[in-house]
Amino acid sequence: MRAADDRGEAREGRAAWATAIAATAILSVSFGAPQLLVVALAPIAADLGAARAVPSLAASAAYFGAGLGGIGMGWIAGRTSARLIGLLGGVMIAAGCALAAGGAAWQLVLGYGLLVGLLGNGALYAPLMTHVSHWFDRRRGTAIALVSSGQYVAGALWPSLFERAVAAWGWQRTMLGYGLLAAAVILPIAAWLRPPPALPAAGSPAAGPAPGGRVLGLAPNTALALLAVASFLCCIPMAMPAAHLVAFCGDLGIAARQGALMLSLLLAMAFLARQGWGWVADRIGGLRTVLAGNLLQVVGMAAFLATQDEAGLFLVAGLFGLGFSGIVPAYILTVRELFPAAEAAWRVPSLLFLSLSGMAAGAWLAGWLYDGFGSYAVAWRLGIAANLAALVILGGLVLRQGGRWRGVPAA
């Protein structure tokens, strides 16, 4: 495929969409690993003879490791290939699950933090998102939304399967079997990945803003730092229900199978809504889409705080999935819109590091606060407060953007 010209005519063809679908498939499998911790949180804690903070810490380590690993792996991918990094990630997911299935607390945390997180999803999530973004110009928001929704395909697909497998064979055998399956699926797809079109020439519309210019009236790194802090804050509440919904339902007397179905509903709604958010972002811009998604996420968190019955929680889970699903891909689109294309290889993973760190903090904090207070109410309130702080930052950036913004610059 030839490199794109200034109008992007060589991009967004069959090869581009095939790459986006392949990346989505990889993430749909790789992000099943954290879902296993969510479904088996209570039995893992019981078998380890520890509080829920231990498996919660493993889930947090997986998210934090994926974010931190994305920076280094994104840099390596930019100088080698997404294919090589994808193959590494598939192997590490399997190795991490094998180690974590050993049954000791340190094996669980190290397997998920170092192998599944840092070297596994760290090699897959941010590098694949950046890789796909180079294949698109006009529909970049839609493509990023599709790829990032691989997390929610995993959430819709795996929890019910994991619940039955854990009930039948235990969490350790389920974890080991999942790791082998993940490698069998990820490795062939990663081996197929091909290089993207060459970066557009400097000064062309597709190349983005010129390097070194001010962003929203701020120094470039200051603008990125504000976006990253906002992403950290809004991802704290994002992770709380997603990581603890099954256990939360159990505390209310709702069966684990129903809790797993509720989690699948939440993430299935997130997948469906994310495609709509991508369409919106292509038309109003990434930053305004981030703001809108955060407003809906606050509403969803408040609804979790006020709802206790099973039917109401199914409704709230769907609402929450609708709200938070557009946030992360809109952040990535914002970075691609505001900064030069040549800087995407390190700016996108840097922002995703803060996003995933926020998810790690939220998943761990909810477990820690539950152990301290005996309920999730305090965690939900803390999540709402963090989300409101993010809205203050994002509102300020949108005001700086002012009336000058009219969506993605015409190609």
Side-chain angles (χ1 to χ4, degrees):
M1 185 174 185
R2 68 183 176 85
D5 60 18
D6 287 350
R7 296 172 295 167
E9 291 178 350
R11 300 174 190 267
E12 306 192 15
R14 290 183 180 179
W17 287 109
T19 300
I21 292 170
T24 306
I26 289 174
L27 297 181
S28 298
V29 175
S30 73
F31 274 95
Q35 296 302 321
L36 180 50
L37 288 180
V38 175
V39 172
L41 188 147
I44 290 174
D47 286 352
L48 294 179
R52 291 183 184 180
V54 173
S56 296
L57 177 61
S60 298
Y63 284 123
F64 181 82
L68 182 61
I71 299 176
M73 293 296 179
W75 184 87
I76 295 172
R79 284 153 180 78
T80 56
S81 70
R83 176 185 298 166
L84 177 63
I85 296 302
L87 291 171
L88 172 65
V91 171
M92 290 299 103
I93 293 285
C97 288
L99 177 60
W106 70 268
Q107 290 175 309
L108 187 72
V109 175
L110 185 63
Y112 265 81
L114 176 63
L115 301 180
V116 172
L118 186 76
L119 301 176
N121 278 323
L124 298 173
Y125 186 53
L128 285 178
M129 299 276 272
T130 305
H131 176 72
V132 170
S133 76
H134 288 311
W135 282 91
F136 292 86
D137 289 324
R138 291 165 295 177
R139 298 178 181 86
R140 184 179 291 144
T142 302
I144 291 173
L146 174 63
V147 176
S148 62
S149 66
Q151 289 179 282
Y152 305 130
V153 175
L157 172 66
W158 293 107
S160 294
L161 297 175
F162 285 153
E163 187 274 331
R164 296 180 184 182
V166 170
W169 303 304
W171 66 269
Q172 290 169 278
R173 289 183 180 178
T174 299
M175 190 171 287
L176 182 60
Y178 161 78
L180 294 174
L181 177 63
V185 174
I186 293 172
L187 295 180
I189 300 175
W192 174 86
L193 293 174
R194 63 191 71 181
L199 288 176
S204 67
R214 297 184 72 79
V215 176
L216 302 178
L218 302 167
N221 289 342
T222 301
L224 182 67
L226 288 172
L227 285 170
V229 169
S231 74
F232 176 86
L233 291 170
C234 72
C235 284
I236 290 176
M238 187 184 297
M240 286 179 168
H244 292 268
L245 185 56
V246 177
F248 176 57
C249 288
D251 293 342
L252 297 176
I254 300 171
R257 178 167 295 182
Q258 295 301 101
L261 285 173
M262 198 178 297
L263 180 61
S264 293
L265 172 65
L266 186 157
L267 295 169
M269 283 296 298
F271 170 74
L272 295 173
R274 178 159 282 187
Q275 312 318 305
W277 281 116
W279 182 88
V280 169
D282 281 334
R283 282 149 183 81
I284 70 171
L287 187 56
R288 289 182 178 179
T289 305
V290 170
L291 182 64
N294 271 275
L295 287 169
L296 287 179
Q297 180 172 269
V298 169
V299 173
M301 284 297 295
F304 268 119
L305 189 61
T307 309
Q308 299 288 306
D309 63 281
E310 183 177 334
L313 282 172
F314 269 104
L315 180 62
V316 170
L319 173 65
F320 187 75
L322 173 65
F324 84 84
S325 58
I327 295 175
V328 171
Y331 272 118
I332 297 169
L333 181 61
T334 300
V335 172
R336 289 303 319 271
E337 289 172 347
L338 298 179
F339 298 93
E343 298 177 1
W346 70 269
R347 289 198 185 272
V348 169
S350 296
L351 182 134
L352 286 176
F353 169 60
L354 268 294
S355 299
L356 291 171
S357 296
M359 296 185 73
W364 176 79
L365 275 172
W368 182 72
L369 290 170
Y370 176 89
D371 291 337
F373 293 93
S375 78
Y376 286 109
V378 176
W380 297 167
R381 293 189 182 101
L382 178 63
I384 291 171
N387 213 153
L388 292 174
L391 282 171
V392 171
I393 297 174
L394 293 169
L397 293 175
V398 169
L399 287 175
R400 278 184 164 272
Q401 206 171 49
R404 299 187 303 274
W405 189 255
R406 290 294 183 269
V408 181

